[in-house]
Amino acid sequence: MKGRSCWESGTVRSLCHSGCLSKVNQDDSGEEEPTSQSDRSELQGTLKILVSKLDDLSTCNDLIAKHGAALQRSLSELEGLKVPVEGGEKIKAVNERATLFRITSNAMINACRDFLDLAETHSRRWQRALQYEREQRTHLEETIEQLAKQHNSLERAWREAPTLVSTTPSAPTANKGGSERLHKEEASDEDGDTEYFDAMEDSPAFITVTATENTQQRRSQSNLSGASGGQPNDWNQDNNMSPGHKDVSAKELQPCRQRRTRVPDKPNYSLNLWSIMKNCIGKELSKIPMPVNFNEPLSMLQRLSEDLEYHELLDKAARCDSSLEQMCLVAAFSVSSYSTTIHRTAKPFNPLLGETYELDRREEFGYRSLCEQVSHHPPAAAHHVISQRGWTLWQEITIASKFRGKYLSIMPLGAIHLHFHSSGNHYVWRKVTSTVHNIIVGKLWIDQSGDIEIVNQRTKETCQLKFSPYSYFSRDVPRKVTGVVADSGGQAHYVLSGTWDDKIESAKILQSSRGGSGSEGKQKTVYQTLSPKLLWKKYPLPDNAENMYFFSALALTLNEQEDAVGVTDSRLRPDQRLMEDGRWDEANSEKQRLEEKQRAVRRRREADASDALDEECEYDSGKEYEGYQPLWFHQRRDSVTGETNFVYKGGYWEAKERQDWSMCSNIF
């Protein structure tokens, strides 16, 4: 029965992964789809093997029946002998068990025959399902090829169009009436030229309709009430965010020092789970060291600093005159921090308590960042960034995780704050849930899902972002993100769309109306928008990234050795450095030493706390024992959210200037 249950569960999985089986089952009377000769020969070979195995089972069954009959005859003869009453009862019981054994063996061979008959009956149906999937794939590939060709021809036509317009002489006045008629005909056909984008089932309840060029002109002349509140400087009609501010990309600035562009290739070490588990037998769970084979050579503090990879979005947002446009760029920045996670399935090193990481890019990009591990149970890190280009960002992240069998859910807790110096706009949002799939079996992959609400605390404007979870049955593009930017009164002004691993676009809303109900009975809003404009686009990965842990250009520089950093900086962590150099065995030993050293410090701190409590009870001095206190951050109640979190208290960069690290603990 156990084997049969496994087979049935496998059949269910196959049904789930074959989207066309329901159609096939409903059309059993139809003609059989043609299959390739190789598929038929493979199927016939499989059936022959099953038949031969069934013959073997039949032979075994005959032998069982023959020997069983002989056994029963012997038992019957024993019953005829004069034996004690107790022995006769035992012989009778054995005879009954032999009979049950013969019945069971006959039932087994009958079940095997039924299985073979069922396999022969359904083999054609499975073949038709497979053929249907192959035809669908071929059709999809042909469609994509056609779309690519059309895309190329449209690009060529678009490039040649300005030249043709500029070289064409002006039309004579006699054609004026004809051009007017043509313009009217085009205007009357605007509904037929409108492009529609249907929202997916799990996305926010809205549909966007992209207006045509003539509609844009007419809307702008009539000053629709549905436009964004009469805001000046329409950024959808001008690539510059605000006139008078020339956008200088951070990539165009020449850095003051040459950063490294590669790390040593990842060694091809096979991971044997049994070799790990057998060394952990008899140990306490808290003392089991996880090998660096699961890690990448970066700490969690460095991964947190990677949020700044697209800092130029905040530089551009600081120059915005419109808070709604600024909100769009802040939303794009909040999405961009997930772009590095698509291939990064390895876990970062857990920081030691008191470990820090600085990222000083003031000379190149105008900002400098500091992270510190402020708590170990639960693990929490505080982050502070200040930019000379008009913004400050700070956050405290605590990681909560739940293992759910097939996947691991990672839920970052804590708010992210962003303040722009000139306008005073203060934005607050939180991260979404990250899910690592195929923990036990299969290839690891990561998905992001959930909602982000960004609130401008000064103006009360909001942005609602939805990260759609991946679904095998969804018709939408994977890793999709949609969102709406609204003012304090709830009126929508911009629609955001894209994916968290590639790009985000925004489209200005001209008009909104109530549409029909969606699949779940929710009424959808139809937004008529201008053409979308690109807010953020992911940088391509460096060459050979697959052998360098899929690090981005910024991630390659994070663990680069630098002078004058603090003595608790992650760059100086020995096990992480050994792993980056490819010396994983030594890294595992060093990692175990550091973790044991941290446990010893914690035990000593707990003993000091116990002694202080005993002394307080004995002398009633009223002086409470202070536990571990971070060096560069302190706890304060946030006036905006009302939460207690760690904020930067200053002093790190001044200590770096003096090169005075005497206040730092020896954690390495």
Side-chain angles (χ1 to χ4, degrees), residues 202 430-435 447-453 464-469 480-482:
D202 294 330
R430 301 173 190 274
K431 290 180 176 288
V432 296
T433 299
S434 300
T435 307
D447 193 24
Q448 316 289 346
S449 59
D451 299 328
I452 291 180
E453 182 184 34
Q464 301 287 341
L465 289 173
K466 182 175 183 62
F467 289 64
S468 301
K480 185 174 183 180
V481 179
T482 53

Side-chain angles (χ1 to χ4, degrees), residues 597-637:
K597 180 178 180 179
Q598 182 173 236
R599 293 190 193 101
V601 172
R602 185 175 72 246
R603 286 193 296 268
R604 187 165 60 250
R605 190 179 298 117
E606 291 171 352
D608 292 343
S610 179
D611 293 343
L613 182 62
D614 294 341
E615 185 178 349
E616 180 184 349
C617 294
E618 182 177 354
Y619 297 103
D620 195 19
S621 60
K623 182 180 179 181
E624 295 184 2
Y625 173 78
E626 287 190 2
Y628 175 80
Q629 297 297 323
L631 192 56
W632 311 111
F633 290 81
H634 57 179
Q635 272 191 320
R636 290 292 182 269
R637 180 173 294 277

Side-chain angles (χ1 to χ4, degrees), residues 292-529:
V292 299
N293 304 57
F294 292 104
N295 289 29
E296 63 180 13
L298 289 179
S299 75
M300 188 62 199
L301 302 180
Q302 290 164 314
R303 283 289 292 268
L304 198 58
S305 302
E306 278 191 72
D307 288 358
L308 301 171
E309 180 154 14
Y310 299 93
H311 59 87
E312 60 267 18
L313 290 171
L314 301 184
D315 297 341
K316 187 182 292 186
R319 299 193 296 270
C320 282
D321 295 330
S322 166
S323 58
L324 291 172
E325 295 173 4
Q326 190 177 74
M327 174 70 84
C328 292
L329 287 167
V330 172
F333 175 79
S334 69
V335 175
S336 70
S337 62
Y338 298 98
S339 63
T340 60
T341 65
I342 181 64
H343 299 295
R344 303 273 288 279
T345 55
K347 65 181 289 291
F349 279 78
N350 293 329
L352 303 173
L353 186 61
E355 186 174 335
T356 60
Y357 180 74
E358 67 162 77
L359 186 63
D360 193 347
R361 295 291 190 269
R362 187 172 53 173
E363 295 183 0
E364 294 106 319
F365 306 124
Y367 73 86
R368 53 187 184 183
S369 159
L370 176 66
C371 295
E372 182 180 4
Q373 187 76 0
V374 295
S375 172
H376 189 65
H377 291 296
H383 185 202
H384 182 269
V385 192
I386 186 166
S387 172
Q388 295 174 331
R389 298 178 184 175
W391 53 271
T392 301
L393 182 144
W394 65 97
Q395 59 181 319
E396 179 194 333
I397 298 296
T398 301
I399 301 297
S401 60
K402 289 185 178 180
F403 180 61
R404 304 179 186 272
K406 291 184 179 180
Y407 60 92
L408 178 70
S409 295
I410 302 171
M411 295 152 287
L413 308 177
I416 304 172
H417 296 257
L418 175 63
H419 178 259
F420 290 100
H421 304 163
S422 59
S423 63
N425 289 332
H426 184 165
Y427 298 89
V428 181
W429 71 93
R430 301 173 190 274
K431 290 180 176 288
V432 296
T433 299
S434 300
T435 307
V436 184
H437 293 269
N438 294 342
I439 292 292
I440 303 298
V441 178
K443 183 179 179 181
L444 292 175
W445 61 280
I446 292 180
D447 193 24
Q448 316 289 346
S449 59
D451 299 328
I452 291 180
E453 182 184 34
I454 307 175
V455 180
N456 185 339
Q457 299 295 328
R458 188 181 70 85
T459 64
K460 302 305 177 184
E461 296 163 348
T462 61
C463 175
Q464 301 287 341
L465 289 173
K466 182 175 183 62
F467 289 64
S468 301
Y470 174 79
S471 172
Y472 179 80
F473 302 102
S474 175
R475 294 171 294 175
D476 262 314
V477 349
R479 299 174 284 278
K480 185 174 183 180
V481 179
T482 53
V484 175
V485 175
D487 59 21
S488 57
Q491 180 181 355
H493 291 271
Y494 289 95
V495 171
L496 305 179
S497 61
T499 58
W500 54 262
D501 68 322
D502 185 25
K503 65 179 180 180
I504 291 293
E505 295 177 330
S506 70
K508 187 175 182 180
I509 297 173
L510 295 176
Q511 193 175 21
S512 64
S513 60
R514 291 292 180 182
S517 299
S519 59
E520 298 179 356
K522 297 179 180 179
Q523 190 176 33
K524 292 188 176 182
T525 303
V526 179
Y527 293 125
Q528 188 175 32
T529 67

Side-chain angles (χ1 to χ4, degrees), residues 10 102-104 111 159 167 192-193 242 281 284 286 328 388 393 400 428 501 530 544 605 654:
R102 291 183 61 191
I103 294 172
T104 305
R159 292 192 191 99
T167 55
D193 296 335
S242 299
I281 296 174
E284 294 181 17
S286 61
C328 292
Q388 295 174 331
L393 182 144
V428 181
D501 68 322
L530 297 178
N544 196 38
R605 190 179 298 117
E654 293 77 8

Side-chain angles (χ1 to χ4, degrees), residues 252-290:
E252 298 174 359
L253 298 177
Q254 293 297 326
C256 297
R257 58 167 289 183
Q258 187 67 30
R259 302 284 176 182
R260 69 180 183 181
T261 57
R262 63 173 296 106
V263 296
D265 287 356
K266 178 181 179 181
N268 189 18
Y269 286 169
S270 61
L271 183 61
N272 188 343
L273 287 175
W274 171 242
S275 66
I276 298 170
M277 298 306 296
K278 69 180 182 181
N279 294 327
C280 300
I281 296 174
K283 294 184 179 179
E284 294 181 17
L285 187 62
S286 61
K287 295 183 179 181
I288 297 176
M290 292 301 293

